[in-house]
């Protein structure tokens, strides 16, 4: 599993990197066998002007062929990361649940 972290108008500090890795750890533990990689994009849209401009975008590439995108914007980057990782967890859970449902298994067995 690869996690690619990049920033736009923001420096990726060790603190941010550690926070991202800690917040993604439960997602990776639960869904590791379904995930190929996760891209993390952090952006300070307004720069030093302030406001709700800290954006965390997460893109998960799954082995199921589904790409899951979530994004959150807050005044604090750590808060944006927290909410975005929670959203990602729920979105992956939804897609994995669909793939494991009896109806999905039936569709795949008829192919």
């Amino acid at each position: 599993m690869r996690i690619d972290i990049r920033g736009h108008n923001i420096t990726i500090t060790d603190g941010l990197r550690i926070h991202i890795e800690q917040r993604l750890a439960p997602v990776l533990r639960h869904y590791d066998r379904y995930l190929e990689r996760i891209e993390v994009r952090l952006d300070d849209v307004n720069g030093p002007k302030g406001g709700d401009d800290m954006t965390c975008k997460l893109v998960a590439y799954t082995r199921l062929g589904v790409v899951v995108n979530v994004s959150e914007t807050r005044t604090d980057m750590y808060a944006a990361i927290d909410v975005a990782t929670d959203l990602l967890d729920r979105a992956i859970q939804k897609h994995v649940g669909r793939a494991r449902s009896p109806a999905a298994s039936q569709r795949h067995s008829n192919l």
Side-chain angles (χ1 to χ4, degrees), residues 4-17 19-20 40-57 72-81:
D4 179 29
I5 302 171
R6 294 190 186 177
H8 183 259
N9 296 323
I10 190 169
T11 301
I12 305 300
T13 63
D14 289 340
L16 279 173
R17 185 175 303 281
H19 188 73
I20 291 164
V40 179
R41 299 291 175 260
L42 305 180
D43 189 9
D44 183 356
V45 179
N46 293 332
K49 296 178 189 175
D52 280 348
D53 67 338
M54 299 290 189
T55 300
C56 175
K57 180 178 181 183
E72 183 63 27
T73 301
R74 298 288 173 115
T75 55
D76 177 71
M77 183 58 78
Y78 288 89
I81 292 166

Side-chain angles (χ1 to χ4, degrees), residues 11-108:
T11 301
I12 305 300
T13 63
D14 289 340
L16 279 173
R17 185 175 303 281
I18 290 167
H19 188 73
I20 291 164
E21 290 170 355
Q22 289 175 340
R23 292 294 294 167
L24 285 175
V27 175
L28 299 177
R29 274 194 305 274
H30 286 109
Y31 306 111
D32 183 53
R33 69 182 194 191
Y34 298 103
L35 298 173
E36 290 181 357
R37 71 174 194 226
I38 296 177
E39 292 179 357
V40 179
R41 299 291 175 260
L42 305 180
D43 189 9
D44 183 356
V45 179
N46 293 332
K49 296 178 189 175
D52 280 348
D53 67 338
M54 299 290 189
T55 300
C56 175
K57 180 178 181 183
L58 303 174
V59 182
Y61 295 87
T62 71
R63 291 185 174 100
L64 304 170
V66 175
V67 178
V68 179
N69 290 285
V70 298
S71 180
E72 183 63 27
T73 301
R74 298 288 173 115
T75 55
D76 177 71
M77 183 58 78
Y78 288 89
I81 292 166
D82 291 347
V83 174
T85 54
D86 290 341
L87 292 171
L88 183 68
D89 186 22
R90 286 193 293 266
I92 292 172
Q93 181 180 22
K94 186 168 108 176
H95 287 289
V96 167
R98 285 182 190 161
R100 291 193 299 190
S101 73
S105 298
Q106 182 64 31
R107 282 194 304 270
H108 294 298

